[in-house]
Amino acid sequence: MAPVTIPVLAINGQTASGKTAVAVAVAQLLESDGIRAEIVNADSMLVYRGMDIGTAKPTLEERGGVPHHLIDIMDVTRGATVADFQVLARGAIAELRARGVVPILAGGSALYVHAILDEIDFPGTDAALRARLEAELDQVGPAALHERLAALSPLAAAGILPGNARRTVRALEVIELTGSYTSTLPGWSHAVGDVLQFGLEVPRDVLDARIEARVHQMWADGFVDEVRGLVDLGLREGRTAWRALGYRQVLAFLDGELTQGEALQATIAGTRRFSRKQMGWFRRDPRIQWLVAGELNAETLASAVRDRVLLGS
RNA sequence: GGCAGGUUGCCCGAGUGGCCAAAGGGAGCGGUCUGUAAAACCGUCGGCAACGCCUACGUAGGUUCGAACCCUACACCUGCCA
């Protein structure tokens, strides 16, 4: 078999931009050309089993027979991390390529996408050390810890705001583990070869309307019951899952802190804000080619992949 | 019908004579980011020709050098009595 080029197609975009549907459509178009493609998820919350309605996880029907990777791979009690995800996603991409299948990386978690595609090495972690630092944080507060960080590494401290306890703790952890810590992300340089990056752009007002409709639909589809069920499975015990957009608001409702209507509105507002943040992140990546979301997106992306595959063969 | 309380900026909510364009929270807007990232943190947040001016604390008037804060009337909402 002649060696052919297998590009990675990355489809980025805000939540509710339609990237999932486009990714599936692209895979199906390629399939009809005799090019196999499968989807690798790059949405942080889709990894959790049982978190379906609130994450707008594509149903089997919506997946249209296209295999999806890194969806439903862990329980809500576990804390997903970028570092884990990086390893898993790169593994999936390599495995697909080895099989001659085009990986379509679809998702809206910008840090995850960055970590998968670009050269970023995450220093390790140590549970005991982390626990100690967090206990200390409770004692002395974030400002004191930040001061200590500043004494150990002025540079690292400069990149972290004093109020940000989370990042301060991690910086101290890494310094203790490795001796130094870098508080700035590396630039844009692919660690995975041959990547085509596209972004779907949706006008703000259109996206906002979609988000609102989508959240209402989640409620209608039984989102609150989904959360109730997950609570029994330990949703509150995890470190990450319960903070997911919508889930946190429903939990607040179940705890009596919000009315159900307030929880719904807060979810809409939170999702809207999240979409802004996503955009801010993706916009900075100069390699992304932006497409106005619309009918022809799948065609455009499929032909970009096709061209690349044929060129390489 | 009577008595008591309330009406504050986009929303909620402090303020009860000057230090009030008015605490705080939310929303909105903008930003930061190397193992929680759908997270965490930060800034901004009445208007303008902007070290000043204008508009603003239910409406209209009054007291005062000075009022969101005091008085009067009116409107609407709320609790108790009938």
Side-chain angles (χ1 to χ4, degrees), chain A residues 127-141:
Chain A
L129 174 55
R130 180 76 71 93
R132 204 192 77 212
L133 286 167
E134 283 175 349
E136 198 179 337
L137 171 66
D138 288 338
Q139 295 289 314
V140 303

Side-chain angles (χ1 to χ4, degrees), chain A residues 109-188:
Chain A
S109 299
L111 178 63
Y112 280 29
V113 173
H114 195 194
I116 294 161
L117 259 26
D118 294 313
E119 288 178 37
I120 301 181
D121 292 315
F122 296 99
T125 186
D126 181 296
L129 174 55
R130 180 76 71 93
R132 204 192 77 212
L133 286 167
E134 283 175 349
E136 198 179 337
L137 171 66
D138 288 338
Q139 295 289 314
V140 303
L145 276 193
H146 192 269
E147 273 176 41
R148 206 170 91 206
L149 176 61
L152 289 168
S153 169
L155 203 63
I160 299 173
L161 289 162
N164 200 333
R166 192 113 104 212
R167 294 194 62 219
T168 303
V169 165
R170 161 97 275 236
L172 287 170
E173 178 192 20
V174 174
I175 286 176
E176 231 172 284
L177 251 31
T178 71
S180 68
Y181 178 80
T182 313
S183 57
T184 49
L185 279 163
W188 313 107

Side-chain angles (χ1 to χ4, degrees), chain A residues 183-196:
Chain A
S183 57
T184 49
L185 279 163
W188 313 107
S189 108
H190 285 152
V192 172
D194 201 8
V195 177
L196 296 169

Side-chain angles (χ1 to χ4, degrees), chain A residues 42-61:
Chain A
D43 262 323
S44 61
M45 297 300 161
L46 257 40
V47 299
Y48 290 111
R49 276 187 285 274
M51 290 175 70
D52 302 332
I53 298 172
T55 59
K57 186 179 289 170
T59 61
L60 282 178
E61 193 186 347

